[in-house]
Amino acid sequence: MIYLNYNEVEGLSKKDHEALERQLKLLNKPATEYGDIYDCVSFYQQPAFDHPLLKNHTYHPQMKPSLSPLKRDKISSTSNSCSRIGLKDGGCPMGTVPIRRTTKEDLIRERRFNASYAGGVLHFALEQTINDPNLKISGAGTTSSISNPKVLPNQWSASIVKVDPILYGDTRTRFFSLFKAGTIQCFNTRCPGFVIVNTQIPLDMIFPTSTHGRVFGKRFFIQRDLKNGRRWLRYSHDLTQIGFWPPELFMGLKGFASQAPWGGEAFSSVPTFPPMGSGRFPKFVDTDKDAFCSKISILDSVGNTRDPAVSSFEEAHALYGVANKPITNKEFGHAVFFGGPGSNK
C-alpha cells in the first residue's frame, strides 16, 4: 500500500515528486482548446499494431521513408501561420506517438455513423485523372483549403486527395485519414493499420480556421516508397512525415494506383445534405472565398512529379460543383475549385 500526502509519496522526496510531475506533463498532454486530450502512447503499443497482418512487424520509432525528393513549398498567400497544427511543448517524447483519447461520445457517434452509412448517400465534386491504362501513380498531393461547413450528426463534408483507397481530408476542420478496403473503412487510428511516427502532429487534430474571411490552405502528399511499398502521409510546406500505411494492408493495390482525384465529398443519411467547402458554387473561382485544391500533382512510376490531365466528376449539380483551372502562376499551380450549398429541403 502507498500512502499519499500533499508533499510526498512514501519513499520519494518532494524533489522526486516534482520531477515525476514534470515527466507526467510531458507524457500526458493536456486538453487542447477544443477539449481533446492526446496521450503519448508507446510506438509499439499504438493502435496500428492491433491489426492481425502487422502482428510480426519489424517497424520502429526512428523509421524514415526512402522517397524521391519533392520540392518544398515557400510559404505563400495560400498558407497561413494560424493554420499550424501540432501539440504544444514539443509534442510527445521520442519512442511515443500522440493518440487522441477516445471518449464515450466518440463511440456513440461512431455507432450511429456505422448504422447510418449503409443507408446514406455520398456526393462528389471532383477533378480526377483521366482514364489511362498506362498511367502508374505512386503518389498524389495538393494544397487544400481549410473550410468549416456546418454539418449534422449523421453528415460529413470534406476536401480530399485520394490514391485509390487512401484518402486525406478534413471534416469539421479535423485532420483525418481514411482507409478503404472493400466494404471496410476506418477513420484515423480507430481502424488499426496506419503507423504513426510523428511525435508532434497527430491524426484527428482540429485545424484552426481563418478569422479574417480569407481562405488559407495546407499542403498534403500521399507518397509511395518505391523500395518497400509503404505509403507515407506527408504534411505542410516542408512535407513532414506523419506516418505510413504498410504494404501488408493492401490486397489489390500492392503496386501502383491508376487514378487520383481532388475536390470535395459530402455524405448524409438524412434527407438534407451539408454544405461543401465554403458553401459556394465555384462560379468565379475566387481564391479568397472558394474552396480549392491548388498545386495538384501526381508522382509517376519512378517518383517524378507530374501535372495531371483531369476530367470533372460531379453527379449532384444542383447541390455542388467543381471547376478545373490549369496552371496560371507558380504560386497557385494547377487548381481545382469546388463547393456548394447542399440541399435546403
Side-chain angles (χ1 to χ4, degrees):
M1 182 178 292
I2 299 177
Y3 295 92
L4 302 175
N5 62 33
Y6 289 109
N7 296 317
E8 63 181 356
V9 178
E10 186 178 21
L12 295 178
S13 67
K14 181 178 180 180
K15 185 177 180 180
D16 290 335
H17 180 72
E18 291 173 347
L20 289 175
E21 287 294 331
R22 289 193 296 271
Q23 184 178 1
L24 285 174
K25 288 182 179 180
L26 288 175
L27 293 173
N28 300 318
K29 298 302 173 183
T32 67
E33 59 185 300
Y34 304 102
D36 295 336
I37 297 176
Y38 291 87
D39 296 310
C40 294
V41 177
S42 166
F43 174 87
Y44 298 101
Q45 294 179 350
Q46 63 176 293
F49 302 129
D50 292 336
H51 197 292
L53 293 178
L54 301 180
K55 183 177 181 181
N56 298 315
H57 75 90
T58 58
Y59 302 133
H60 56 84
Q62 285 78 38
M63 291 186 64
K64 294 182 179 180
S66 301
L67 300 176
S68 57
L70 295 175
K71 184 179 179 181
R72 265 67 171 169
D73 290 341
K74 293 181 180 180
I75 298 177
S76 65
S77 60
T78 59
S79 298
N80 189 312
S81 60
C82 75
S83 66
R84 292 180 62 85
I85 63 173
L87 300 177
K88 298 179 180 180
D89 303 322
C92 290
M94 183 61 66
T96 68
V97 294
I99 303 293
R100 180 173 171 265
R101 188 177 298 179
T102 302
T103 66
K104 184 167 65 175
E105 289 74 19
D106 291 329
L107 296 179
I108 293 172
R109 189 181 303 113
E110 185 176 282
R111 181 179 297 180
R112 288 176 177 172
F113 171 78
N114 290 334
S116 64
Y117 187 77
V121 177
L122 191 61
H123 287 310
F124 299 94
L126 305 170
E127 294 289 339
Q128 57 189 14
T129 50
I130 59 174
N131 187 18
D132 181 356
N134 298 317
L135 187 61
K136 296 181 178 180
I137 299 175
S138 62
T142 186
T143 296
S144 176
S145 63
I146 308 300
S147 303
N148 190 24
K150 291 184 178 180
V151 296
L152 298 176
N154 292 334
Q155 297 177 337
W156 85 63
S157 182
S159 61
I160 64 172
V161 54
K162 292 183 181 180
V163 180
D164 278 5
I166 306 174
L167 173 149
Y168 151 74
D170 69 269
T171 180
R172 301 177 194 175
T173 63
R174 276 192 187 276
F175 178 22
F176 81 84
S177 72
L178 170 63
F179 174 77
K180 290 184 179 181
T183 58
I184 300 172
Q185 68 172 25
C186 301
F187 290 93
N188 301 320
T189 58
R190 289 292 298 149
C191 183
F194 184 84
V195 179
I196 298 174
V197 299
N198 195 292
T199 61
Q200 187 173 9
I201 304 174
L203 292 176
D204 210 16
M205 192 86 172
I206 292 178
F207 283 104
T209 53
S210 174
T211 57
H212 306 294
R214 180 173 173 79
V215 175
F216 60 84
K218 276 297 182 180
R219 188 96 174 123
F220 297 90
F221 230 102
I222 299 169
Q223 186 175 7
R224 182 177 184 266
D225 191 324
L226 298 179
K227 290 187 176 181
N228 50 47
R230 297 167 195 151
R231 290 166 171 82
W232 287 82
L233 176 61
R234 309 179 73 182
Y235 164 74
S236 193
H237 67 282
D238 58 359
L239 297 173
T240 299
Q241 283 82 235
I242 304 299
F244 61 90
W245 292 270
E248 294 93 327
L249 302 180
F250 301 98
M251 300 299 179
L253 192 63
K254 288 188 177 295
F256 297 100
S258 58
Q259 194 171 61
W262 299 262
E265 69 177 27
F267 169 84
S268 181
S269 62
V270 294
T272 59
F273 282 87
M276 179 188 292
S278 62
R280 291 163 42 107
F281 286 107
K283 184 176 180 181
F284 301 107
V285 290
D286 187 339
T287 57
D288 286 343
K289 298 179 181 179
D290 292 329
F292 59 79
C293 289
S294 67
K295 289 190 175 180
I296 68 170
S297 59
I298 58 172
L299 299 175
D300 62 19
S301 60
V302 294
N304 293 326
T305 303
R306 293 174 52 182
D307 178 37
V310 296
S311 60
S312 300
F313 175 70
E314 53 180 57
E315 30 61 79
H317 307 285
L319 307 181
Y320 313 111
V322 64
N324 175 46
K325 187 176 182 181
I327 296 175
T328 55
N329 62 70
K330 292 182 179 180
E331 180 181 347
F332 214 72
H334 188 168
V336 172
F337 291 83
F338 62 93
S343 67
N344 297 315
K345 294 181 180 179

